Amino acid sequence: MGISAIRFNSSEASKAASEIQTQLPSFEATDSITSSIAEQASQIVGEASNQIGYLNSIGLAKSWWWPPDLIQHALEYVHVYTGLPWWGTICATTILIRLLMFPLYVKSSDTIARNSRIKPEMDKINAELMSSTDMVEGQRVAMRRKKLLADNGIKNRYLAAPMLQIPIALGFFSGIRQMANFPVDGFTNQGIAWFQDLSLADPYLGLQVITAAVFISFTRLGGETGAQQFSPQMKKFFTIMPLLSIPATMNLSSAIVLYFAVNGAFSVVQTLLLRNKWVRSK
């Protein structure tokens, strides 16, 4: 009884052992398995990148107050909820933020126009204020200046509105650069036209040329408020500087220069609107 059981177990073990493969899989099979695993991993990452919180999971968009992080949050929300590719996301987010800032530019343009109307009188008052040595007389002149501004509805704080563009532009630059350097999933294949890979530099410098052209245009039209007056020397400077920016930005990722181009194009449209007589009257 015991011997037969031992023989039965031995035969079963031999049968199982004979079924074990004694050869390694071929290189073709290994490559197929590796490709399948890589494809599945890429699909998982791609699905994760279309969810809110993906950027935070890879170490980006850590806060809601630091400009680069704030811009990254905005880009992620637009990308996820609109389904736009990354090139479209950058364009849409840039335009959206500029539209939100447009009322401030309108107020700034209006303030510049009102100041230009009272400039002769204001220059006279300022000269009196600077030459005054008596404190009482100086206060009287200052009150006249304050009354002149109030009578013409001028609030000079709106002149600082365009300065808000500086932290926003720096936020876009730093935020997109971090995303391109990672690179964020989709940046390598969600470009358009001749710059399909947003993480690489524009190979033809097309975006750089567009950016330089629009920058020259809106400065010659009167700046982003459409009411600024530049001296001939300043106009010359604003013509040369954009041209120099072409070689200076040639190694930046296409995503960053795309932002520059879209932001500059919006500035030209905004300048044309603010220079329009009907728009200014409204």
Side-chain angles (χ1 to χ4, degrees):
M1 184 76 176
I3 296 174
S4 62
I6 292 172
R7 288 178 178 175
F8 177 78
N9 290 338
S10 175
S11 61
E12 288 296 325
S14 299
K15 182 179 179 181
S18 65
E19 294 178 356
I20 297 176
Q21 294 184 358
T22 59
Q23 294 182 350
L24 293 173
S26 65
F27 287 110
E28 290 78 7
T30 303
D31 290 342
S32 177
I33 295 172
T34 304
S35 299
S36 177
I37 294 174
E39 184 178 349
Q40 292 177 7
S42 177
Q43 184 177 359
I44 292 172
V45 173
E47 292 175 355
S49 67
N50 291 323
Q51 303 294 325
I52 299 298
Y54 163 70
L55 293 182
N56 182 262
S57 71
I58 62 175
L60 303 175
K62 298 177 182 178
S63 70
W64 283 94
W65 58 271
W66 188 241
D69 293 345
L70 185 60
I71 294 300
Q72 289 171 354
H73 278 297
L75 289 168
E76 183 175 56
Y77 272 85
V78 172
H79 179 66
V80 171
Y81 286 114
T82 65
L84 289 170
W86 279 115
W87 77 266
T89 298
I90 293 171
C91 294
T93 306
T94 302
I95 294 172
L96 176 62
I97 292 179
R98 290 304 301 263
L99 286 174
L100 292 175
M101 293 182 63
F102 183 70
L104 295 177
Y105 281 99
V106 172
K107 293 295 294 183
S108 180
S109 179
D110 179 62
T111 302
I112 292 174
R114 290 172 184 269
N115 272 312
S116 65
R117 287 200 298 265
I118 64 169
K119 188 177 185 303
E121 190 174 356
M122 181 60 71
D123 288 344
K124 183 180 178 180
I125 293 177
N126 286 335
E128 292 181 22
L129 189 61
M130 293 296 294
S131 61
S132 177
T133 56
D134 183 69
M135 183 179 295
V136 176
E137 180 63 24
Q139 291 177 346
R140 188 179 297 113
V141 175
M143 290 299 296
R144 282 172 50 201
R145 184 180 185 276
K146 184 176 181 180
K147 185 177 185 301
L148 179 62
L149 293 173
D151 290 345
N152 287 273
I154 297 174
K155 296 179 180 179
N156 283 326
R157 63 174 177 267
Y158 288 112
L159 294 175
M163 298 296 291
L164 293 175
Q165 180 64 17
I166 295 177
I168 292 176
L170 292 176
F172 265 104
F173 175 79
S174 181
I176 294 177
R177 183 176 62 176
Q178 291 173 6
M179 295 171 71
N181 288 342
F182 190 82
V184 165
D185 181 67
F187 258 52
T188 57
N189 58 9
Q190 291 184 20
I192 192 175
W194 67 91
F195 51 97
Q196 292 292 328
D197 191 337
L198 294 171
S199 65
L200 298 179
D202 183 345
Y204 304 108
L205 300 182
L207 292 172
Q208 282 85 348
V209 172
I210 293 172
T211 302
V214 295
F215 190 83
I216 293 171
S217 298
F218 88 81
T219 52
R220 287 185 171 274
L221 288 171
E224 292 188 291
T225 61
Q228 294 170 306
Q229 300 295 326
F230 296 113
S231 65
Q233 293 78 12
M234 288 299 294
K235 286 185 177 181
K236 185 177 180 180
F237 171 77
F238 284 129
T239 300
I240 296 175
M241 187 177 70
L243 296 176
L244 294 176
S245 72
I246 295 176
T249 60
M250 64 184 297
N251 293 321
L252 293 178
S253 68
S254 297
I256 296 174
V257 190
L258 175 62
Y259 160 71
F260 289 155
V262 174
N263 189 61
F266 188 96
S267 296
V268 171
V269 174
Q270 176 177 281
T271 301
L272 291 173
L273 282 174
L274 294 178
R275 286 174 62 89
N276 183 273
K277 292 183 179 179
W278 182 84
V279 174
R280 295 190 70 83
S281 66
K282 293 298 179 180

